[in-house]
Amino acid sequence: MATVTYDQATRVYPGADTPAVDKLDIEIEDGEFLVLVGPSGCGKSTSLRMLAGLEDVNEGNIRIGDRDVTHLPPKDRDIAMVFQNYALYPHMSVADNMGFALKIAGVPKTEIRAKVEDAAKILDLTDYLGRKPKALSGGQRQRVAMGRAIVREPQVFLMDEPLSNLDAKLRVQTRTQIAGLQRRLGITTVYVTHDQVEAMTMGDRVAVLKDGLLQQVDTPRHMYDRPANLFVAGFIGSPAMNLVEVPITDGGVKFGNSVVPVERDALATAADKGDTTVTVGVRPEHFDLVNGEGTGGAKTLSKDEHAGLAVTVNVVEELGADGYIYGTAEISGDSRDVVVRVSGRNVPEKGSTVHVVPRGGETHVFSTSSGERLSD
Ligand SMILES: Nc1ncnc2c1ncn2[C@@H]1O[C@H](COP(=O)(O)OP(=O)(O)OP(=O)(O)O)[C@@H](O)[C@H]1O
Ligand SMILES: [Mg+2]
């Protein structure tokens, strides 16, 4: 087992103007499950392949434990990689597929057999050891690919979208199995996905990449509660955080009819940049309906009735426990899309208007110009 360190690691593909991975700095702990996530083309696979030794590192270093592996060939790095397409040998049985790397390494047959049987037990593949890959389901093939990595008892597992060939239900099951297995084996793992839900549910920590640049590396909880910039705020969470550009007013920002208080320091930082607006983020579950609107009961009209932000309900999504309303609101003279989570018991009707206020302490403030987080 070992730590993994990306130290200013950079990859520029021949002929490219910009690096595919730009000065990547991450320290992965021994036994940690780190997920690399980001949109297509952001450099996830390149980062993984640099660690595997399948891609040159043009600047910086990569270390596994105390070993500088930057220029070592893949076979000397003590890693095992699971690819998206599994890459099983079709003419070999499951057992031979799983033991192949050990056979190449000259491990005695009886030892290989014992290791393969152990791994098969862990992965629930004992009954399939004699079969060829084509006679397996997608999920079983995926487990064989895992088994092939496990028998090698590497210092580090690398996985590049290993679940993307599975259907939605199997993907959810398998991600729990992989995360559980990794925890039991305690092998440091770097896992690539473009799916933020997968990242948030599997990772001890999550690293978000965009255009080859690391945006934030954090625990799922902290990433969700304190996104470091506008990109992470919009990328992590589903439905996405509402992000609206609003003018700065005295002591806060104007959000529809309400003034959202914002820390002085944050406003001062924005003003220092010459910004007259900031971008406020509110997650769908952090809006409260004014006066219990949408609860279906008789409404008491009060002077606060029209406080908050008026949202016209366009679409209602009922998910049982929760509901989401997709609506539009007039904010600073523009019509904006707004998503609000409501109780599934009483969802407002399509076409109605509800008034919402952001819950105190649950708003995020970002610089509109740089995207960086301004609030605490
Ligand atoms: N062999 C290559 N030669 C030149 N450019 C490449 C090569 N492989 C990848 N790239 C470029 O490097 C960037 C990062 O690619 P990479 O495959 O790492 O992205 P990714 O995050 O894994 O995307 P995806 O989610 O689509 O798999 C992209 O702009 C891509 O076009
Ligand atoms: Mg990729």
Side-chain angles (χ1 to χ4, degrees), residues 230 242-248 253-256 275-281 330-334 336 366-369:
L230 272 176
N242 296 285
L243 292 166
V244 284
E245 187 179 344
V246 293
I248 300 172
V253 295
K254 210 160 149 42
F255 200 89
D275 292 353
T276 55
T277 66
V278 289
T279 298
V280 172
E330 183 108 341
I331 301 171
S332 317
D334 289 327
R336 295 293 192 150
F366 303 95
S367 159
T368 305
S369 52

Side-chain angles (χ1 to χ4, degrees), residues 39-46 49 84 160-161 192 194:
S40 184
C42 70
K44 304 180 294 294
S45 295
T46 304
R49 292 169 58 83
Q84 174 176 351
D160 195 347
E161 311 234 13
V192 163
H194 63 272

Side-chain angles (χ1 to χ4, degrees), residues 163-375:
L163 307 185
S164 54
N165 284 340
L166 306 181
D167 67 42
K169 189 164 170 221
L170 197 52
R171 203 153 60 213
V172 171
Q173 272 174 18
T174 312
R175 86 183 177 212
T176 331
Q177 283 171 355
I178 292 183
L181 184 64
Q182 189 273 343
R183 243 133 252 174
R184 249 185 305 150
L185 298 173
I187 295 179
T188 312
T189 300
V190 187
Y191 184 102
V192 163
T193 178
H194 63 272
D195 179 347
Q196 59 94 16
V197 177
E198 205 167 288
M200 297 290 275
T201 51
M202 294 180 83
D204 292 320
R205 282 189 307 158
V206 175
V208 178
L209 286 173
K210 180 192 174 232
D211 300 334
L213 291 164
L214 182 64
Q215 305 292 304
Q216 183 170 4
V217 48
D218 230 322
T219 60
R221 179 83 261 159
H222 200 255
M223 178 100 48
Y224 190 82
D225 290 343
R226 293 278 176 277
N229 60 38
L230 272 176
F231 177 78
V232 177
F235 186 76
I236 297 289
S238 173
M241 186 188 280
N242 296 285
L243 292 166
V244 284
E245 187 179 344
V246 293
I248 300 172
T249 63
D250 207 16
V253 295
K254 210 160 149 42
F255 200 89
N257 288 333
S258 23
V259 171
V260 176
V262 173
E263 301 134 42
R264 258 179 206 294
D265 287 355
L267 293 182
T269 310
D272 284 350
K273 293 179 195 290
D275 292 353
T276 55
T277 66
V278 289
T279 298
V280 172
V282 185
R283 295 211 180 270
E285 68 270 29
H286 291 147
F287 277 120
D288 286 319
L289 296 185
V290 175
N291 263 357
E293 278 178 347
T295 55
K299 276 196 296 177
T300 14
L301 292 172
S302 76
K303 66 176 171 42
D304 289 336
E305 180 70 19
H306 296 294
L309 187 64
V311 179
T312 308
V313 180
N314 301 326
V315 175
V316 176
E317 201 175 81
E318 294 196 50
L319 301 174
D322 296 324
Y324 287 97
I325 56 180
Y326 294 82
T328 41
E330 183 108 341
I331 301 171
S332 317
D334 289 327
S335 177
R336 295 293 192 150
D337 292 336
V338 178
V339 185
V340 179
R341 188 178 80 180
V342 293
S343 158
R345 294 268 168 251
N346 292 292
V347 290
E349 274 178 36
K350 196 174 149 183
S352 64
T353 299
V354 294
H355 292 81
V356 299
V357 284
R359 198 169 305 156
E362 299 283 8
T363 52
H364 308 255
V365 182
F366 303 95
S367 159
T368 305
S369 52
S370 72
E372 77 182 283
R373 183 183 189 86
L374 298 174
S375 50

Side-chain angles (χ1 to χ4, degrees), residues 5-9 21-27 61 207 214 217:
T5 310
Y6 285 92
D7 182 2
Q8 300 277 303
V21 175
D22 197 353
K23 297 195 171 59
L24 183 62
D25 251 334
I26 309 180
E27 280 187 46
N61 291 291
L214 182 64
V217 48

Side-chain angles (χ1 to χ4, degrees), residues 20-61:
V21 175
D22 197 353
K23 297 195 171 59
L24 183 62
D25 251 334
I26 309 180
E27 280 187 46
I28 304 165
E29 284 170 39
D30 185 16
E32 185 172 10
F33 195 115
L34 182 100
V35 181
L36 289 176
V37 70
S40 184
C42 70
K44 304 180 294 294
S45 295
T46 304
S47 305
L48 204 65
R49 292 169 58 83
M50 289 159 78
L51 174 55
L54 300 171
E55 212 62 75
D56 285 344
V57 176
N58 302 106
E59 262 177 62
N61 291 291

